[in-house]
Amino acid sequence: MSNIRHTVVIRRDLGMSAGLVGAQTAHISDAFMRETIRDGNDFTTDEEEWMKAPYLSVLAVNNLEELRVVIQDAEANSLPVHKWHDTVPSTVQPNSFIPNVLVGISIGPTDFDAIKAVCGYLNPFNES
């Protein structure tokens, strides 16, 4: 079994519904595919290996500051990081939306041990 994994890290403070979290997770997860295809690049060996047996972890951070720490740590360890910005419902002003919010990131696909070294302390999104 391959040790190649893909991890999504998503912000809790945006107050998204479970359905919106699911949709955003899907967007974040496949961002690397869209970027690779859009830019006309080939998939890496890790990406191709992951596509044969895709495994996705969804982890949570409490806010943007914590997400920035994960991004810095991942980039410092030369892990592939893909950022996802989107428009999300405002939790402060009902029936309004906030554009271009950094909702979350994906790390990988890459070696799962390298991912755990960076964000192994984070909880799954569904846990507090």
Side-chain angles (χ1 to χ4, degrees), residues 7-27:
T7 299
V8 166
V9 182
I10 196 164
R11 292 172 51 189
R12 289 185 194 278
D13 64 324
L14 296 175
M16 295 182 289
S17 68
L20 188 53
V21 168
Q24 292 295 334
T25 297
H27 292 315

Side-chain angles (χ1 to χ4, degrees), residues 9-63:
V9 182
I10 196 164
R11 292 172 51 189
R12 289 185 194 278
D13 64 324
L14 296 175
M16 295 182 289
S17 68
L20 188 53
V21 168
Q24 292 295 334
T25 297
H27 292 315
I28 295 166
S29 175
D30 70 4
F32 82 89
M33 290 184 200
R34 288 190 313 273
E35 290 171 12
T36 300
I37 293 167
R38 179 196 65 216
D39 296 344
N41 296 324
D42 293 329
F43 289 107
T44 67
T45 303
D46 283 350
E47 291 167 346
E48 288 179 358
E49 186 67 26
W50 177 80
M51 285 186 249
K52 293 176 188 174
Y55 182 83
L56 180 69
S57 300
V58 182
L59 304 175
V61 291
N62 292 315
N63 52 49

Side-chain angles (χ1 to χ4, degrees), residues 15 26 66:
E66 289 181 11

Side-chain angles (χ1 to χ4, degrees), residues 10-123:
I10 196 164
R11 292 172 51 189
R12 289 185 194 278
D13 64 324
L14 296 175
M16 295 182 289
S17 68
L20 188 53
V21 168
Q24 292 295 334
T25 297
H27 292 315
I28 295 166
S29 175
D30 70 4
F32 82 89
M33 290 184 200
R34 288 190 313 273
E35 290 171 12
T36 300
I37 293 167
R38 179 196 65 216
D39 296 344
N41 296 324
D42 293 329
F43 289 107
T44 67
T45 303
D46 283 350
E47 291 167 346
E48 288 179 358
E49 186 67 26
W50 177 80
M51 285 186 249
K52 293 176 188 174
Y55 182 83
L56 180 69
S57 300
V58 182
L59 304 175
V61 291
N62 292 315
N63 52 49
L64 180 58
E65 292 75 28
E66 289 181 11
L67 184 59
R68 287 185 175 141
V69 169
V70 174
I71 292 168
Q72 289 172 345
D73 290 348
E75 289 175 343
N77 284 280
S78 300
L79 299 177
V81 175
H82 303 274
K83 300 171 187 170
W84 179 253
H85 293 80
D86 206 352
T87 298
V88 297
S90 171
T91 56
V92 176
Q93 191 172 10
N95 300 318
S96 66
F97 296 88
I98 306 168
N100 201 31
V101 173
L102 180 57
V103 175
I105 63 168
S106 73
I107 302 174
T110 195
D111 181 75
F112 189 51
D113 292 331
I115 294 173
K116 285 192 301 188
V118 169
C119 55
Y121 65 95
L122 297 175
N123 289 322

